[in-house]
Amino acid sequence: MSCLSCASNHPADFSAEMIVHVGGPKNLDNPGTWIFTKLSICLDCGCARFTVPEIELALLAARAPKSERPAQAAGA
């Protein structure tokens, strides 16, 4: 797949472990959410792509600040 940033065809795939934190001083005690995924990195421009697995995505959605959450549909 070509890079969305520079259209290069030089990607490399890597295993990744990352931790995502909710920002702001009131979230300092929040330990963050570990994500284990694959990264696809363009070796020309450095643009990276990854997908958050479903389980971790649900954890992130639950921990997201209310101002960052999508509006709920009526009756949901």
Side-chain angles (χ1 to χ4, degrees), residues 22-57:
V22 177
K26 65 182 176 183
N27 295 302
L28 289 176
D29 292 334
N30 184 328
T33 301
W34 279 97
I35 298 174
F36 300 91
T37 189
K38 300 279 185 202
L39 287 177
S40 180
I41 301 175
C42 175
L43 298 178
D44 288 327
C45 74
C47 182
R49 295 179 54 165
F50 66 94
T51 301
V52 177
E54 265 187 64
I55 293 171
E56 289 90 342
L57 184 59

Side-chain angles (χ1 to χ4, degrees), residues 7-20:
S8 166
N9 285 315
H10 299 113
D13 293 331
F14 300 91
S15 295
E17 302 170 10
M18 60 184 93
I19 189 163
V20 177

